Amino acid sequence: MCTTDVPTKFYNLCRLCLSCPIEEDCVDAKLEKIFDDAERNIPRKIMTCLSIMVKDDDQLPHVICIRCLDQLDALYGFKETAKKAEILLHQFLMCMKELEGTTQKASQDDNGITSLQLNGYLNQIQSICR
């Protein structure tokens, strides 16, 4: 731990990229406080996406720049979409296995499932992931 006084500028660095706002007018240089928006849950997103623990009582900067925040939101959204897709794909395979043993009078593919059923389920999966 540092025993000397830390300059104020240190606490105005972006926690993730070390950028520092130079001009008040620059949108990318503006900083957001990590712990002010409980609904956005920035610390959880940082931990989930970057494996970096951010605590309210640590001695590091508690701000991130807008550019990093946008990237973090995009990465978190992508991760959540990919997790949903994984679950739905597994569910689709389970559904296929369940339907495999049933007999259908309509035109069937090799698995005993009508093309209409498969297409309907795939459309459902795609609409949920969008």
Side-chain angles (χ1 to χ4, degrees):
M1 182 187 280
C2 187
T3 56
T4 61
D5 289 330
V6 178
T8 307
K9 186 176 181 177
F10 174 82
Y11 295 104
N12 291 323
L13 296 172
C14 172
R15 177 73 172 253
L16 302 179
C17 75
L18 300 179
S19 66
C20 185
I22 298 168
E23 301 172 8
E24 293 292 323
D25 297 342
C26 181
V27 174
D28 285 345
K30 293 205 187 260
L31 299 171
E32 290 282 327
K33 293 182 180 178
I34 293 173
F35 299 99
D36 278 3
D37 192 347
E39 188 175 308
R40 203 158 190 189
N41 209 345
I42 297 169
R44 179 173 179 242
K45 289 180 181 180
I46 292 172
M47 183 61 190
T48 300
C49 297
L50 305 174
S51 300
I52 296 172
M53 179 64 73
V54 179
K55 295 183 178 181
D56 195 19
D57 61 351
D58 67 26
Q59 296 180 351
L60 299 176
H62 290 172
V63 292
I64 64 173
C65 68
I66 298 299
R67 186 178 53 230
C68 285
L69 187 56
D70 289 344
Q71 290 181 25
L72 183 64
D73 285 339
L75 180 57
Y76 187 80
F78 175 70
K79 185 172 182 167
E80 291 299 306
T81 299
K83 284 169 36 177
K84 279 184 201 175
E86 179 80 3
I87 290 166
L88 291 170
L89 290 169
H90 281 290
Q91 288 175 348
F92 177 77
L93 288 179
M94 286 175 30
C95 181
M96 280 188 59
K97 287 178 183 177
E98 287 176 18
L99 292 174
E100 202 169 74
T102 63
T103 57
Q104 303 290 332
K105 290 184 180 179
S107 68
Q108 298 177 337
D109 63 11
D110 293 339
N111 294 322
I113 303 167
T114 66
S115 297
L116 187 60
Q117 288 171 312
L118 284 175
N119 287 335
Y121 196 75
L122 285 173
N123 288 336
Q124 260 187 316
I125 290 173
Q126 288 176 330
S127 69
I128 291 171
C129 289
R130 287 184 194 149

